């Protein structure tokens, strides 16, 4: 019975997808690419920064849009599943921060390496795992990427080292992966992410020191979403210029809500590291819509107005969509098609409770 | 030359020797190797064998190692493979674990395991648990090594034994060599193992020479992790120990032998996974058990052995409760007389054996 239903739904979704988009594409002439101005990055110990304009192709734009929308849908699905108690324990969602994971991936190669902390579902996807594997892991199934033994914070993939639960511990690990990159001599870099809360951990400064001393190809990335759990940056850090906290390590502060800005900054940082100059630090200014985790409503330490303002003015998916539509890279309908596709695809298996 | 002088001294013998062309062979001097040299050899051989192996830690390179264990390695292998780190245990242990995750095979030295407490999160949460948490996807082939336990006069913060702490954790292998053969065979096995392995050496043993059997001189000499060794066969009582106290147990056994008590001394070699089968078989033969360790009594290695003996078939063969001989339950004092009485001595082992045997 279940198999029959699955087959039926597959047929239906297949029927719904293909013909409409083919018809739409055929009826419009879109631009192949467009040039956009992006915000200039604040620089620390750098003469020059990333370029202030960038070219976005239609193909890339559609790809980034689809990826960001998939991450958004996946996180909202996880929210649903958590409230149904099908996901247990910790669940830290990254909706609002999609430009970071998709933008970083756009700036590096699949052979480069990435490690992050516990707000990792987006990165797990952009580094190559399927939504199905991720949701299966979150719901404790054998088909999960860690066979159900890891859960939300312990998902791994090729050249993706998790998913780490101990705040800050992933930063020396990332410097170690960068050491391996240098040791192997293959021009690979390691993106080592941490949050504004973790930025005050001592071991991060130990990692800065050794990475600089040994010129490790490590891109330290502070994903600053303004709150470490419930503590705002002003209440946690004597200096909130996270891109300068590497001191002797050059840094740049990037608009983390603009995927093109993130992509250009990442390309710049990766080129810097690959040239053998040593580590570099990027601060991505971003925002999370959800609370710290599913057990945090997220409104006791910040206002609903603030959340709403970011949503309406700086939503990363909206920003990309507006850019693409306004420069004729895609139509509103086409992007809506993608929304429907992402929502309807059979990766959103109906999960039954496993308890 | 020798033949000529021999002719002078024993003419008759030499004449017959000349007639029969006998070759004289002097017995070869037994090869004596200190524990330090054995570890050095083991690391050297593994560094040579596999490009991915490298050593990092404080003073391991240009200083030749704080205790000279890595003497000569930096000269031979250079900066890329033998790395001096700043004093940043948490940082460099994390870096070592990350390098292992990315496919290298680091040997991470802690100057003493007391300092590993600074980095213990990386050892447990980043190294030990990862293979399991990732559903078998991500292995961490790292070795953490360094001197463990009491030294001489270094006082409380520099004398702790971590066998019980690390032995507690699933995902880690923990070994504790006693003599040179142990040291070489276990460090090589540890380096070749794809799991995180903690090697608990002993500073007071570094300079002690032992006879090195010929098998141990081979570049592929390995001692399997998880297998204990019976150092001395006996019939009256099983004496289980690890690291330096094994030597004290053998001394005690020699003394007691004169009184007709034959001790079976077991050198654990591995703390985790513990070779309880060898201990059980021995207890089923001798009917008596004592454990000897340098660490503190509460939740220690001896406590675990006793618990497992009770849970297994050997319990029914015990004629007396098992007794633990351990370090005193105090932070290590400085004054020599206090320090001496805070670690198990030969007399304490003899006392425990006699008490168990009701003599």
């Amino acid at each position: 019975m279940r198999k029959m239903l699955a087959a039926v739904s597959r047929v239906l979704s297949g029927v719904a997808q293909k013909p409409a988009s083919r018809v739409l594409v055929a009826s419009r002439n879109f631009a192949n690419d467009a040039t956009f101005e992006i915000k200039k990055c604040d620089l620390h110990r750098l003469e020059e920064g990333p370029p202030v304009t960038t070219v976005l192709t239609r193909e890339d734009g559609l790809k980034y849009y689809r990826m960001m929308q998939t991450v958004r849908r996946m996180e909202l699905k996880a929210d649903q599943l958590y409230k149904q108690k099908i996901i247990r324990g910790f669940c830290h969602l990254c909706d609002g921060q999609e430009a970071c994971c998709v933008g970083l991936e756009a700036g590096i190669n699949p052979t480069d390496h990435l490690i992050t902390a516990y707000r990792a579902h987006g990165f797990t996807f952009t580094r190559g795992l399927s939504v199905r594997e991720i949701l299966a892991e979150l719901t404790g199934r054998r088909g999960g990427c860690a066979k159900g033994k890891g859960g939300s914070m312990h998902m791994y993939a090729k050249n993706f080292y998790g998913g780490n639960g101990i705040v800050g511990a992933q930063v020396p690990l990332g410097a170690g992966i960068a050491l391996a990159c240098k040791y192997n001599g293959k021009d690979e870099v390691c993106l080592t992410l941490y949050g504004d809360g973790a930025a005050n951990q001592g071991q991060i400064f130990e990692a800065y020191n050794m990475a600089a001393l040994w010129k490790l190809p490590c891109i330290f990335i502070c994903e600053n979403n303004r709150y470490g759990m419930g503590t705002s940056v002003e209440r946690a850090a004597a200096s909130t210029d996270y891109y300068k906290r590497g001191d002797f390590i050059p840094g740049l502060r990037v608009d983390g809500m603009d995927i093109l800005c993130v992509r250009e900054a990442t390309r710049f940082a990766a080129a810097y590291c690959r040239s053998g100059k040593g580590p570099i630090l990027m601060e991505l200014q971003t925002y999370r819509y959800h609370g710290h985790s599913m057990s945090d409503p997220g409104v006791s330490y910040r206002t609903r107005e603030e959340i709403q303002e970011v949503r309406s003015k700086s939503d990363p998916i909206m920003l990309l969509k507006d850019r693409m539509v306004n420069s004729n890279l895609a139509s509103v309908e086409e992007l809506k098609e993608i929304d429907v596709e992402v929502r309807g695809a059979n990766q959103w298996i109906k999960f039954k409770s496993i308890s | 030359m020798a033949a000529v002088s021999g002719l002078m001294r024993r003419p008759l013998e030499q004449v017959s020797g000349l007639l029969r062309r006998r070759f004289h062979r002097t017995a070869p001097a037994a090869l004596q190797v200190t524990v330090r040299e054995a570890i050095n050899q083991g690391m050297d051989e593994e560094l040579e064998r596999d490009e991915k192996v490298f050593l990092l830690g404080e003073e391991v390179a240009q200083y030749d190692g704080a205790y000279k264990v890595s003497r000569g390695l930096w000269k031979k292998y250079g900066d890329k493979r033998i790395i001096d780190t700043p004093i940043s245990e948490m940082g460099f242990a994390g870096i070592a674990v990350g390098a292992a995750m990315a496919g290298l095979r680091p040997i991470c030295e802690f100057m003493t395991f007391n300092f590993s407490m600074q980095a213990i999160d990386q050892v447990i949460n980043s190294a030990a648990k990862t293979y399991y948490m990732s559903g078998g996807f991500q292995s961490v082939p790292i070795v953490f090594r360094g001197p463990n336990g009491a030294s001489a006069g270094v006082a409380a913060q520099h004398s702790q034994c971590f066998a019980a702490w690390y032995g507690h954790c699933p995902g880690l292998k923990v070994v504790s060599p006693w003599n040179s053969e142990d040291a070489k065979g276990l460090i090589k096995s540890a380096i070749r193992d794809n799991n995180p392995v903690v090697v608990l050496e002993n500073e007071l043993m570094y300079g002690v020479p032992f006879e090195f059997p010929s098998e141990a001189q081979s570049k592929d000499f390995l001692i399997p992790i998880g297998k204990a060794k019976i150092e001395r066969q006996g019939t009256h009582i099983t004496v289980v120990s690890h690291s330096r106290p094994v030597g004290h147990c053998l001394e005690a056994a020699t003394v007691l032998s004169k009184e007709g008590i034959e001790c079976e001394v077991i050198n654990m070699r591995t703390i985790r996974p513990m070779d309880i089968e060898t201990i059980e078989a021995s207890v089923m033969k001798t009917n008596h058990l004592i454990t000897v360790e340098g660490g503190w009594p509460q939740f220690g290695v001896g406590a675990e052995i006793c618990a497992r003996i009770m849970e297994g078939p050997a319990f029914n063969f015990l004629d007396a409760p098992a007794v633990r001989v351990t370090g005193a339950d105090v932070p290590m004092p400085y004054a020599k007389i206090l320090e001496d009485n805070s670690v198990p001595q030969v007399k304490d082992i003899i006392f425990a054996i006699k008490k168990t045997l009701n003599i």
Side-chain angles (χ1 to χ4, degrees):
Chain A
M1 184 62 184
R2 203 185 298 165
K3 279 191 187 159
M4 199 175 83
L5 281 175
V8 168
S9 79
R10 244 180 288 139
V11 168
L12 286 174
S13 55
V15 164
Q17 277 170 40
K18 286 167 202 165
S21 50
R22 254 192 243 138
V23 167
L24 225 52
V25 167
S27 71
R28 280 276 291 266
N29 278 327
F30 293 108
N32 263 335
D33 56 55
T35 304
F36 297 102
E37 275 177 21
I38 51 177
K39 212 186 274 179
K40 184 173 189 305
C41 295
D42 294 321
L43 301 176
H44 170 69
R45 286 187 191 269
L46 282 168
E47 292 295 311
E48 279 172 10
V52 292
T53 60
T54 183
V55 174
L56 175 66
T57 65
R58 173 178 146 79
E59 191 188 337
D60 279 345
L62 290 173
K63 183 175 79 176
Y64 301 156
Y65 183 85
R66 180 184 292 271
M67 281 174 85
M68 287 204 285
Q69 196 63 284
T70 305
V71 172
R72 175 69 59 92
R73 287 279 108 228
M74 180 177 72
E75 294 295 77
L76 294 180
K77 188 67 180 176
D79 169 281
Q80 250 181 44
L81 291 168
Y82 194 91
K83 287 171 176 153
Q84 293 172 274
K85 298 195 200 293
I86 296 171
I87 296 178
R88 307 160 51 237
F90 288 132
C91 191
H92 307 88
L93 302 177
C94 68
D95 49 312
Q97 299 182 205
E98 294 86 355
C100 295
C101 53
V102 180
L104 285 171
E105 190 63 35
I108 55 171
N109 305 322
T111 46
D112 289 320
H113 308 259
L114 193 149
I115 187 170
T116 186
Y118 48 75
R119 200 173 302 281
H121 305 161
F123 292 102
T124 314
F125 173 73
T126 53
R127 280 265 94 190
L129 289 189
S130 68
V131 171
R132 189 200 180 94
E133 283 172 291
I134 296 171
L135 289 181
E137 183 60 36
L138 289 175
T139 55
R141 282 164 161 69
R142 215 172 8 201
C145 53
K147 303 190 181 137
K149 292 185 181 179
S152 170
M153 299 185 295
H154 307 298
M155 298 193 274
Y156 299 78
K158 186 166 195 315
N159 297 342
F160 175 60
Y161 304 83
N164 289 275
I166 306 295
V167 173
Q170 75 278 11
V171 179
L173 293 181
I177 296 161
L179 187 144
C181 290
K182 183 170 180 178
Y183 195 101
N184 290 326
K186 287 198 217 145
D187 269 347
E188 293 162 4
V189 299
C190 182
L191 273 58
T192 301
L193 284 96
Y194 54 97
D196 48 279
N200 301 313
Q201 262 271 319
Q203 56 186 314
I204 292 185
F205 296 88
E206 294 188 12
Y208 288 160
N209 182 38
M210 286 183 271
L213 206 53
W214 301 332
K215 290 197 159 37
L216 302 180
C218 186
I219 307 175
F220 292 104
I221 301 170
C222 178
E223 238 180 327
N224 177 5
N225 60 17
R226 306 196 210 168
Y227 298 93
M229 207 155 159
T231 307
S232 67
V233 293
E234 308 80 49
R235 294 202 302 125
S239 162
T240 56
D241 289 333
Y242 295 101
Y243 71 114
K244 292 185 184 170
R245 297 279 293 274
D247 188 7
F248 35 78
I249 297 180
L252 44 152
R253 183 158 55 190
V254 180
D255 179 358
M257 302 306 265
D258 176 357
I259 192 190
L260 298 180
C261 207
V262 175
R263 182 183 73 170
E264 284 316 307
T266 308
R267 284 177 175 165
F268 175 85
Y272 181 94
C273 280
R274 279 188 237 279
S275 70
K277 297 199 190 92
I280 191 169
L281 209 164
M282 271 179 18
E283 177 189 340
L284 304 179
Q285 291 187 302
T286 184
Y287 198 83
R288 53 165 162 83
Y289 297 144
H290 267 85
H292 162 71
S293 72
M294 284 305 297
S295 54
D296 168 27
V299 288
S300 64
Y301 49 87
R302 55 184 187 170
T303 62
R304 286 183 209 273
E305 288 74 39
E306 180 189 278
I307 305 170
Q308 201 33 50
E309 178 164 10
V310 175
R311 250 192 224 279
S312 57
K313 298 216 181 102
S314 319
D315 184 281
I317 300 176
M318 178 192 77
L319 289 179
L320 179 65
K321 176 167 148 188
D322 289 347
R323 270 192 165 138
M324 288 185 69
V325 167
N326 293 340
S327 47
N328 198 29
L329 285 177
S331 70
V332 170
E333 294 79 24
E334 184 179 18
L335 296 180
K336 262 216 181 70
E337 283 282 308
I338 295 180
D339 293 351
V340 168
E341 253 178 71
V342 165
R343 225 179 282 245
N346 66 1
Q347 59 201 350
W348 312 113
I349 314 287
K350 292 253 180 290
F351 284 90
K352 287 205 204 119
S353 169
I354 55 169
S355 53
Chain B
M1 203 54 211
V4 172
S5 57
L7 211 69
M8 298 308 184
R9 271 186 272 124
R10 296 189 298 271
L12 277 170
E13 215 180 292
Q14 283 309 316
V15 167
S16 71
L18 280 168
L19 288 174
R20 261 181 301 164
R21 289 199 59 127
R22 242 178 342 169
F23 289 98
H24 288 269
R25 286 181 67 205
T26 46
L31 183 61
Q32 293 270 315
V33 174
T34 62
V35 171
R36 171 186 288 116
E37 286 161 355
I39 301 170
N40 186 288
Q41 247 180 59
M43 288 199 290
D44 191 353
E45 287 170 10
E46 295 306 300
L47 283 157
E48 195 176 271
R49 177 183 178 269
D50 187 349
E51 261 283 297
K52 298 200 285 292
V53 177
F54 71 99
L55 171 67
L56 88 170
E58 293 156 12
E59 311 302 341
V60 296
Q62 297 189 18
Y63 199 89
D64 274 334
Y67 301 99
K68 308 301 179 199
V69 176
S70 52
R71 184 189 283 130
L73 295 180
W74 174 66
K75 228 182 201 159
K76 183 171 176 185
Y77 296 101
D79 285 331
K80 180 181 174 183
R81 318 263 320 269
I82 313 291
I83 304 175
D84 273 337
T85 65
I87 306 174
S88 310
E89 274 77 6
M90 199 166 187
F92 72 69
I95 283 177
V97 174
M101 288 179 172
L104 297 183
R105 304 188 76 91
I107 305 168
C108 176
E109 177 178 302
F110 290 119
M111 197 183 279
T112 77
F113 267 95
N114 300 286
F115 315 138
S116 76
M117 272 202 284
Q118 304 266 314
I120 200 162
D121 175 68
Q122 296 289 4
V123 178
I124 306 302
N125 279 319
S126 301
K129 295 179 184 174
T130 294
Y131 188 67
Y132 184 89
M133 289 193 303
S134 66
F137 181 87
Q138 178 68 66
S139 57
V140 187
I142 190 170
V143 172
F144 296 102
R145 53 160 289 275
N148 174 63
S151 181
V154 293
Q157 293 179 344
H158 290 75
S159 306
Q160 190 169 330
C161 174
F162 287 84
W165 284 32
Y166 290 118
H168 187 59
C169 300
L172 274 188
K173 292 191 180 178
V174 183
V175 299
S176 183
W178 165 55
N179 62 10
S180 307
E181 186 186 335
D182 289 354
K184 182 172 174 185
L186 288 173
I187 191 80
K188 286 168 75 74
S189 292
I191 293 168
R192 296 190 194 189
D193 200 309
N194 288 330
N195 295 290
V197 183
V198 169
V199 181
L200 302 171
E201 299 160 8
N202 187 294
E203 199 231 314
L204 296 172
M205 297 303 293
Y206 281 153
V208 178
F210 289 90
E211 199 168 301
F212 223 45
S214 50
E215 321 85 76
Q217 292 166 46
S218 149
K219 287 193 176 175
D220 280 311
F221 171 65
L222 300 171
I223 286 182
I225 296 178
K227 201 85 191 68
K229 182 181 181 204
I230 300 176
E231 296 287 350
R232 183 189 195 280
Q233 299 269 355
T235 47
H236 296 120
I237 184 167
T238 302
V239 180
V240 185
S241 184
H242 73 94
S243 190
R244 185 162 175 262
V246 171
H248 300 321
C249 293
L250 288 169
E251 265 182 77
T254 307
V255 169
L256 289 169
S257 182
K258 300 196 189 93
E259 297 176 40
I261 303 169
E262 294 304 324
C263 302
E264 179 144 292
V265 177
I266 299 179
N267 171 8
M268 291 176 72
R269 286 179 160 178
T270 300
I271 304 291
R272 183 178 183 106
M274 193 185 291
D275 180 5
I276 197 68
E277 289 81 18
T278 300
I279 303 173
E280 278 173 340
S282 175
V283 169
M284 281 153 73
K285 182 176 76 170
T286 66
N287 311 123
H288 298 86
L289 171 66
I290 71 156
T291 68
V292 184
E293 69 196 285
W296 294 318
Q298 200 159 323
F299 306 103
V301 175
E304 177 65 16
I305 294 172
C306 291
R308 291 209 204 182
I309 290 292
M310 278 200 283
E311 290 163 354
F315 173 70
N316 291 310
F317 290 76
L318 280 175
D319 286 346
V323 164
R324 299 173 290 166
V325 179
T326 71
D329 195 28
V330 285
M332 185 66 71
Y334 166 67
K336 188 166 196 319
I337 186 150
L338 294 176
E339 185 181 58
D340 286 347
N341 284 287
S342 300
V343 294
Q345 301 175 72
V346 177
K347 64 174 171 68
D348 301 315
I349 301 170
I350 293 172
F351 179 83
I353 291 171
K354 286 189 168 174
K355 181 170 151 186
T356 309
L357 290 171
N358 207 18
I359 294 167

